[in-house]
Amino acid sequence: MRDTEARHRWMAVGSALLLALSLAGGGDAKAETPPAHAEGALPSGATWVMDVPSGWNGTVLLYSHGYVAEGQPNPARNASTDAVRDAALARGYALIGSSYSRTGWAVGEAVPDQLATLEEFTRRFGAARREIAWGTSYGGLVTTALAERHGDRFDGTLALCGLQQGGVAHFNALLDTTHAVKTLIGGLDDVPLTGVPDQATATRWAGRVTEALRRAQETPEGRARVSLAAALYNLPSWPGPMVPEPAPDDYDTWEVNQHRHMVGPFFNVAYTWRAEAEARAGGNVSWNRGVDYRSLLAASSDRKEVEALYGKAGLSLRADLRALNAGARVAPEPSAVANLARTGLFRGSLRAPMLTVHTTGDGVVPIQVQNRYRRLVGDGALLGQAYVRRAGHCAFTVGEVLAALGALEARLDGRTWSLDPAALNRAARDIDPAAPAFTPAAPGPYLRPFDAPHHPDSKGGS
């Protein structure tokens, strides 16, 4: 076993040296150099992986992967999918990334591990002409932390389907929907909203909430209340790419689709992620004391649906909103909130161009997150935003990912943002036969933001 590992290690080092020599020796040698693949570990315990193609174009892409639950395999990754990796390597990009030294809500570990991986790449292969950080989902949050706190280290960043609302806002939004289900649907008096002691309990509580949702779906009154719970998260009306997008006023189908979201992994995430975050932060990181749920619904993109279904069921929406406000008594542990905010609270302080891309039907990270981040950054010269008309979380084609990367590189070449959906679709189609779906979009407000304007004393962190 040790002999095999040593042989692989020396093969990686040998490939790296060959590439380094070819880069020093001119363009012809560079084109003839075989591709290099290297793997290793950082002092933190995180592992890393690097791929450098023959004919490297001088740009290195540092990939930040999504959330990995406790106990799950956590290999180093340098691309969102194998297909994206292969397409990017074929276009001359070097790809690198780490595992992060901890699983769960590990922004505090992920950021330094990613920076150390970039330093290791430079040590092995030399300085890149251009360094771009990119990531998907929770990795989009890590990418945003890199952009805001270490922006001078990167030429640009690409955040795909990112949790750019930050950790505190994310868990508050999950709390709001869980509070609505517990308060209005019933049968959950013994299922707490916070204070999850362990993963087994989290899974059990999530199952209880999901079962209550299944029962609620059997009556018009229950369906109306499901729609209200969904609206507090801005849950989209489109559950997945295999299901047709419903008509704008087909509220019955909207609710059926939102119910599909909620009886899927939604509450398992709500409780299992919370258990890990509470243990890491040292207490409850969420609250709804003082929240006015009437105001949240008034700002929700799903408000008309809720009003229509309550009217159809003959229920008093006003009475249910009063019940939500009356029961909003969850208070946070201030030190736990501060701990979570230290690594995942944003100011919009970009130093280099960032492009974000989001699907219109994302049931994990609602599209309204991008509205909030746009307002936070303010500077349209630095922040570009593009949207894909498709359901699903991070449901991008290879062509869409590479077209977005091309748009970012064009901006880095000194141009203004060129994010016309038709042009992006043409670029994506040239790369990948799968039908691209870039589209104009104007997301509504994110309902429960928690960022620098809401926490002015936060100093950020690494």
Side-chain angles (χ1 to χ4, degrees):
M1 180 66 177
R2 290 180 180 176
D3 290 343
T4 300
E5 290 175 350
R7 185 166 58 254
H8 288 170
R9 187 161 54 248
W10 280 109
M11 287 174 63
V13 171
S15 296
L17 290 173
L18 283 172
L19 182 64
L21 289 171
S22 71
L23 289 176
D28 292 339
K30 173 177 149 182
E32 296 171 359
T33 303
H37 174 82
E39 299 180 24
L42 299 170
S44 68
T47 57
W48 51 258
V49 60
M50 301 177 186
D51 286 292
V52 182
S54 59
W56 177 35
N57 63 17
T59 296
V60 60
L61 306 180
L62 174 67
Y63 176 68
S64 296
H65 67 71
Y67 187 91
V68 176
E70 287 185 287
Q72 296 301 306
N74 186 34
R77 305 173 208 182
N78 60 7
S80 54
T81 66
D82 290 348
V84 168
R85 181 195 62 210
D86 293 345
L89 288 172
R91 283 156 181 77
Y93 293 103
L95 306 178
I96 66 175
S98 80
S99 62
Y100 321 149
S101 57
R102 287 184 65 180
T103 54
W105 202 268
V107 186
E109 291 79 20
V111 169
D113 285 340
Q114 290 293 79
L115 292 172
T117 298
L118 184 58
E119 291 170 2
E120 179 67 17
F121 174 84
T122 303
R123 187 181 72 80
R124 287 172 172 264
F125 297 103
R129 174 183 63 86
R130 178 171 284 170
E131 297 171 339
I132 294 174
W134 72 296
T136 52
S137 189
Y138 167 81
L141 183 152
V142 175
T143 298
T144 304
L146 289 167
E148 291 204 2
R149 294 163 193 159
H150 303 278
D152 54 347
R153 189 69 177 85
F154 299 96
D155 296 282
T157 52
L158 173 63
L160 304 170
C161 47
L163 285 90
Q164 291 173 291
Q165 73 273 46
V168 176
H170 175 66
F171 286 106
N172 271 343
L174 290 171
L175 175 72
D176 291 334
T177 291
T178 310
H179 170 60
V181 172
K182 176 176 179 175
T183 302
L184 302 177
I185 291 177
L188 297 170
D189 289 346
D190 59 338
V191 178
L193 296 173
T194 63
V196 191
D198 52 53
Q199 292 295 320
T201 303
T203 301
R204 187 169 66 253
W205 289 354
R208 292 280 307 281
V209 176
T210 299
E211 183 56 36
L213 283 167
R214 295 187 191 280
R215 293 194 304 270
Q217 194 66 8
E218 298 173 0
T219 68
E221 296 82 3
R223 292 191 289 273
R225 286 168 169 152
V226 168
S227 75
L228 174 54
L232 298 176
Y233 195 80
N234 269 328
L235 205 61
S237 61
W238 196 6
M242 303 305 294
V243 177
E245 183 178 12
D249 58 353
D250 184 0
Y251 297 133
D252 289 322
T253 302
W254 278 39
E255 188 277 334
V256 168
N257 290 344
Q258 290 167 331
H259 183 261
R260 287 174 176 168
H261 276 298
M262 295 170 75
V263 299
F266 186 92
F267 284 102
N268 191 57
V269 168
Y271 276 107
T272 60
W273 287 28
R274 180 178 296 283
E276 196 278 334
E278 289 181 343
R280 181 186 297 265
N284 176 32
V285 296
S286 304
W287 66 93
N288 65 4
R289 180 180 290 175
V291 171
D292 181 3
Y293 285 100
R294 291 169 297 190
S295 297
L296 293 194
L297 178 62
S300 173
S301 59
D302 301 333
R303 175 182 58 83
K304 291 182 179 179
E305 171 211 0
V306 175
E307 292 172 345
L309 293 184
Y310 264 79
K312 189 173 182 178
L315 277 178
S316 170
L317 177 57
R318 183 176 298 179
D320 275 1
L321 289 170
R322 279 200 303 268
L324 291 182
N325 284 352
R329 295 188 292 269
V330 176
E333 181 66 40
S335 61
V337 174
N339 287 338
L340 185 60
R342 189 171 295 116
T343 57
L345 180 141
F346 298 127
R347 300 177 178 276
S349 53
L350 298 178
R351 303 181 194 177
M354 168 185 277
L355 176 61
T356 68
V357 188
H358 221 93
T359 54
T360 56
D362 191 332
V364 177
V365 184
I367 190 176
Q368 290 79 11
V369 164
Q370 297 307 325
N371 175 301
R372 181 60 200 173
Y373 199 65
R374 161 68 70 185
R375 293 169 64 88
L376 196 60
V377 174
D379 185 353
L382 285 179
L383 179 64
Q385 294 183 308
Y387 300 96
V388 170
R389 187 167 185 167
R390 188 177 296 119
H393 180 51
C394 304
F396 304 114
T397 68
V398 172
E400 287 162 352
V401 174
L402 271 293
L405 178 59
L408 174 61
E409 289 232 77
R411 173 65 181 82
L412 300 184
D413 287 337
R415 308 175 202 171
T416 58
W417 288 111
S418 179
L419 299 173
D420 173 64
L424 289 172
N425 284 331
R426 287 193 296 271
R429 206 173 287 115
D430 288 342
I431 297 167
D432 173 19
F438 284 103
T439 186
Y446 186 74
L447 300 182
R448 278 263 255 151
F450 186 80
D451 40 43
H454 299 86
H455 191 42
D457 295 332
S458 173
K459 301 294 192 262
S462 64

